[in-house]
Amino acid sequence: MSFAASLACGLKGGEVFALTGDLGLGKTTFVKGLAQGLGSPSTVTSPTFNLVHRYKGGRLTLVHYDLYRLKKPGELEALDLETELQTQHVLAIEWPTLANPILPKNRTRWILFEESGDTERKLTISSTP
């Protein structure tokens, strides 16, 4: 969480974070850190059932998507992700594989979460999936 909060301090807007890794490895916790670093007063929760949450009130708006339950590209259209990608909001997308074809290559950072101990995680950041 502290890593994401530090990272958020340098964000300008328009950044996209594609968060990958198994269940329970800290993707939502990372988003909590982003919100904290952006100064959002909101409580971040997993958007698994609502699919998208918007956190306003900080230096930048943070939009948090969880695409875990989506199975077909057509289901993605209803979330209006393509429009959101045109804004200066910071986007964090859990389970982003389905959205990969529309994610901006120059603004998307792929972060792989891996277990490296009972309470530790290894994060690998790259510009490609």
Side-chain angles (χ1 to χ4, degrees), residues 10-129:
L11 299 179
K12 306 271 189 246
E15 294 88 356
V16 179
F17 295 97
L19 311 176
T20 64
D22 291 335
L23 288 168
L25 291 183
K27 294 179 293 293
T28 299
T29 299
F30 180 87
V31 178
K32 288 178 182 182
L34 287 177
Q36 181 183 41
L38 291 171
S40 174
S42 302
T43 300
V44 173
T45 59
S46 177
T48 299
F49 296 104
N50 293 336
L51 304 179
V52 62
H53 288 160
R54 285 178 180 75
Y55 301 107
K56 299 178 181 182
R59 189 171 56 79
L60 297 165
T61 296
L62 173 63
V63 184
H64 183 195
Y65 286 87
D66 186 327
L67 307 182
Y68 181 76
R69 297 185 319 155
L70 301 186
K71 303 297 179 215
K72 297 181 268 183
E75 295 173 307
L76 193 58
E77 292 173 18
L79 299 180
D80 211 17
L81 177 58
E82 285 192 80
T83 301
E84 196 69 60
L85 289 166
Q86 305 306 313
T87 70
Q88 287 300 303
H89 298 158
V90 174
L91 275 65
I93 306 169
E94 296 188 40
W95 308 98
T97 305
L98 195 62
N100 185 23
I102 64 169
L103 297 179
K105 305 299 182 222
N106 62 332
R107 294 187 290 123
T108 302
R109 293 297 165 257
W110 290 80
I111 304 177
L112 172 62
F113 291 74
E114 297 175 286
E115 190 170 0
S116 62
D118 289 340
T119 60
E120 295 179 8
R121 301 295 182 255
K122 174 184 171 187
L123 276 62
T124 304
I125 303 171
S126 68
S127 58
T128 58

